[in-house]
Amino acid sequence: MLSVKPPPEQAPGGLPPRLTRVNEPRGKIGIVGIGYVGLPLAVAFAEAGEDVVCVDSDTAKVEALAAGRSYIEDIPDAVLAPLAERLHPTLEYAELASCEAVVVCVPTPLTNSREPDLAFLLGAAESIAANLRAGQLVVLESTTYPGTTRERLVPILEQSGMTAGADFHVAFSPERIDPGRTDYTVRTTPKIVGGVNAASAERAEALYGRICDEVVVVSTPESAELAKLLENIFRSVNIALVNELSQLCDRLGIDVWEVIDAAATKPFGFMRFEPGPGMGGHCLPVDPFYLAFKAREADFYPEFVELAGKVNQTQPAFCVERVERALNDAGKPVRGSKVLLLGASYKAGIGDTRESPALKIVRMLRERGGEVSYHDPHVAELAALELRSAELEPALAGADLVAIVTAHPEVDYRAVIDSAALVLDFRGVTRGIDADNLIRL
Ligand SMILES: NC(=O)c1ccc[n+]([C@@H]2O[C@H](COP(=O)([O-])OP(=O)(O)OC[C@H]3O[C@@H](n4cnc5c(N)ncnc54)[C@H](O)[C@@H]3O)[C@@H](O)[C@H]2O)c1
């Protein structure tokens, strides 16, 4: 059971006089954390005509935004240019004073022991509390476990001496951004909101109604927090299923891609997921640990969720074993062999390398003595691995094996097969091609 605190008492006769009502004059919108989530949100509000105070602790991001330079691939500089007057990047939390609403989009990673690391969130909350004004709405968008908004954020904000739900409003609204996706935008993706009380939910609904076609109101922040985790864990579990199937198909000598393509012809009751070299990104590998942490507090062990994480984590090692086998069949050991990885980011079309399986594959191949290089049109360097993206043509010509790790659309895979000695495709992008030097997952 979640420990859900009842909403704060309402003053008799409705809202206390200090509260900003939905139809009161608008102030600016504050965004705290202007990264992958915060910047597109700031742009959406600015495009809707709002003035947006963009607070970030990273001087480089604040300076870039002030100069009209984007650091997020989905937001070209040309999108920022006409919004320059409305976007106000700053390092100073004090500038949130002029805001009617403050939306928090800071990272929620894991500690080294794989527990939720709320340090960014709690730090941001302290700074917001020190500048909080009566009537403001604070919305948390960072992905987190159910209970975070009420149990962790609200007590810090109340250090201001004001009461959540009475003097200021608080809600949780999960971000659903999918970097690289163009068919759904902030406007066309329904937005879930859950307030700590009805008035908070109403404020949040009105706020997002300005930039989203559909706002879905749930009864508590806990439901909204858990809905986000469910969305991501649903993907994690289904990816684990097809990753495990890829390992089984390898044993049975069946083409996993053909099996999935065939199953996907069923027009109902089946949803297509694809196997690959492992799961990456800031969300899918991280979120199950947030849920498991909260579940443990309630003496519950979500085995299904944890099993999915475990299966997905074994996938890079399985891929390295496939590299070893492919080289072995060509009469070569990994030690001393040149292996070129095509793609370093965790997904096609973007340059985000957070938790990317490519990083694990590089490390494991190096441990076995392999000489690893990579080519990625979206990732110029992997500083932690002291690697820079190699030029494609000479790298292809010099490699003993080329492993397709990310399905970047701008790479000509037919040409890769034609010029490489041996190609191992972990993404199924070579489906339909038959060649003696080609092996698929
Ligand atoms: N990236 C995605 O695709 C995605 C999708 C859905 C949800 N989310 C969630 O959104 C949240 C943010 O993720 P992101 O990908 O935008 O992260 P990010 O690292 O791209 O951006 C976060 C920003 O917050 C800033 N920051 C950190 N602490 C701060 C502080 N105390 N004050 C001000 N700024 C601070 C950082 O400098 C950074 O610019 C996470 O909880 C993540 O799980 C991300």
Side-chain angles (χ1 to χ4, degrees), residues 33 35-37 56-57 61 93 105-106 108 120 142-143 179 282 354:
Y36 283 93
V37 166
D56 204 291
S57 50
K61 283 204 177 101
Y93 274 84
C105 309
V106 296
T108 43
F120 295 106
S142 305
T143 306
H282 183 38
R354 289 180 291 183

Side-chain angles (χ1 to χ4, degrees), residues 350-424:
I350 63 165
D352 192 345
T353 58
R354 289 180 291 183
E355 304 276 335
S356 174
L359 310 180
K360 290 186 192 153
I361 293 173
V362 171
R363 289 199 182 96
M364 282 187 270
L365 287 172
R366 278 180 169 175
E367 278 163 19
R368 288 158 179 74
E371 289 179 31
V372 190
S373 59
Y374 83 96
H375 169 81
D376 191 314
H378 297 268
V379 182
E381 68 170 333
L382 295 172
L385 296 170
E386 296 179 348
L387 284 175
R388 288 194 67 80
S389 178
E391 273 216 43
L392 186 55
E393 279 175 27
L396 282 174
D400 296 296
L401 182 143
V402 177
I404 301 170
V405 175
T406 317
H408 285 313
E410 47 279 90
V411 176
D412 178 348
Y413 295 103
R414 176 79 254 185
V416 167
I417 295 165
D418 289 344
S419 41
L422 185 56
V423 177
L424 187 41

Side-chain angles (χ1 to χ4, degrees), residues 147-209:
T148 308
T149 305
R150 215 187 289 265
E151 295 161 14
R152 307 301 304 270
L153 177 62
V154 165
I156 296 176
L157 296 179
E158 288 187 337
Q159 285 169 12
S160 62
M162 293 186 281
T163 303
D167 303 310
F168 63 96
H169 289 127
V170 182
F172 181 82
S173 179
E175 180 48 59
R176 285 171 155 173
I177 202 150
D178 184 12
R181 181 175 283 282
T182 50
D183 50 353
Y184 286 97
T185 62
V186 172
R187 177 158 290 286
T188 58
T189 307
K191 192 91 171 96
I192 298 174
V193 300
V196 295
N197 63 346
S200 294
E202 194 191 333
R203 284 281 302 280
E205 183 183 14
L207 175 72
Y208 288 109

Side-chain angles (χ1 to χ4, degrees), residues 39-388:
L39 186 58
L41 194 66
V43 165
F45 276 115
E47 283 176 340
E50 308 289 346
D51 269 301
V52 189
V53 175
C54 303
V55 181
D56 204 291
S57 50
D58 180 348
T59 314
K61 283 204 177 101
V62 169
E63 285 177 358
L65 197 52
R69 270 185 286 112
S70 174
Y71 38 81
I72 303 287
E73 281 177 297
D74 287 350
I75 309 278
D77 292 354
V79 168
L80 295 180
L83 304 174
E85 300 271 287
R86 295 202 197 122
L87 294 173
H88 309 285
T90 178
L91 294 163
E92 302 300 331
Y93 274 84
E95 292 194 31
L96 294 175
S98 56
C99 295
E100 58 171 297
V102 177
V103 184
V104 183
C105 309
V106 296
T108 43
L110 295 171
T111 63
N112 286 341
S113 51
R114 306 252 119 190
E115 302 233 317
D117 179 0
L118 296 184
F120 295 106
L121 171 55
L122 302 183
E126 301 265 353
S127 307
I128 294 168
N131 294 279
L132 194 66
R133 295 171 78 94
Q136 284 184 325
L137 164 69
V138 179
V139 185
L140 178 60
E141 288 216 5
S142 305
T143 306
T144 185
Y145 58 79
T148 308
T149 305
R150 215 187 289 265
E151 295 161 14
R152 307 301 304 270
L153 177 62
V154 165
I156 296 176
L157 296 179
E158 288 187 337
Q159 285 169 12
S160 62
M162 293 186 281
T163 303
D167 303 310
F168 63 96
H169 289 127
V170 182
F172 181 82
S173 179
E175 180 48 59
R176 285 171 155 173
I177 202 150
D178 184 12
R181 181 175 283 282
T182 50
D183 50 353
Y184 286 97
T185 62
V186 172
R187 177 158 290 286
T188 58
T189 307
K191 192 91 171 96
I192 298 174
V193 300
V196 295
N197 63 346
S200 294
E202 194 191 333
R203 284 281 302 280
E205 183 183 14
L207 175 72
Y208 288 109
R210 298 178 204 168
I211 55 165
C212 300
D213 292 340
E214 189 183 344
V215 182
V216 180
V217 182
V218 293
S219 62
T220 61
E222 290 76 15
S223 286
E225 289 161 334
L226 189 52
K228 171 69 189 180
L229 292 184
L230 171 63
E231 290 168 18
N232 283 351
I233 290 167
F234 172 82
R235 286 186 54 72
S236 165
V237 166
N238 281 286
I239 291 169
L241 178 66
V242 286
N243 275 341
E244 191 179 67
L245 191 74
S246 74
Q247 298 189 20
L248 173 64
C249 282
D250 178 45
R251 294 273 177 98
L252 298 179
I254 298 172
D255 182 346
V256 68
W257 304 99
E258 191 178 54
V259 173
I260 292 169
D261 284 345
T265 60
K266 188 179 180 187
F268 49 86
F270 182 83
M271 189 178 282
R272 184 193 187 95
F273 283 87
E274 306 222 323
M279 221 167 49
H282 183 38
C283 297
L284 297 198
V286 171
D287 294 359
F289 290 98
Y290 270 75
L291 185 63
F293 168 82
K294 186 67 189 180
R296 277 201 303 277
E297 270 187 13
D299 227 357
F300 186 90
Y301 295 85
E303 292 179 45
F304 209 74
V305 174
E306 292 192 358
L307 179 63
K310 214 161 115 184
V311 170
N312 287 329
Q313 272 176 12
T314 65
Q315 198 70 358
F318 172 64
C319 290
V320 167
E321 191 214 313
R322 295 292 305 265
V323 171
E324 283 175 335
R325 250 196 281 154
L327 284 171
N328 186 54
D329 290 347
K332 295 174 184 175
V334 176
R335 185 165 300 282
S337 286
K338 292 191 173 62
V339 180
L340 171 70
L341 303 192
L342 275 189
S345 62
Y346 80 90
K347 85 179 218 188
I350 63 165
D352 192 345
T353 58
R354 289 180 291 183
E355 304 276 335
S356 174
L359 310 180
K360 290 186 192 153
I361 293 173
V362 171
R363 289 199 182 96
M364 282 187 270
L365 287 172
R366 278 180 169 175
E367 278 163 19
R368 288 158 179 74
E371 289 179 31
V372 190
S373 59
Y374 83 96
H375 169 81
D376 191 314
H378 297 268
V379 182
E381 68 170 333
L382 295 172
L385 296 170
E386 296 179 348
L387 284 175
R388 288 194 67 80

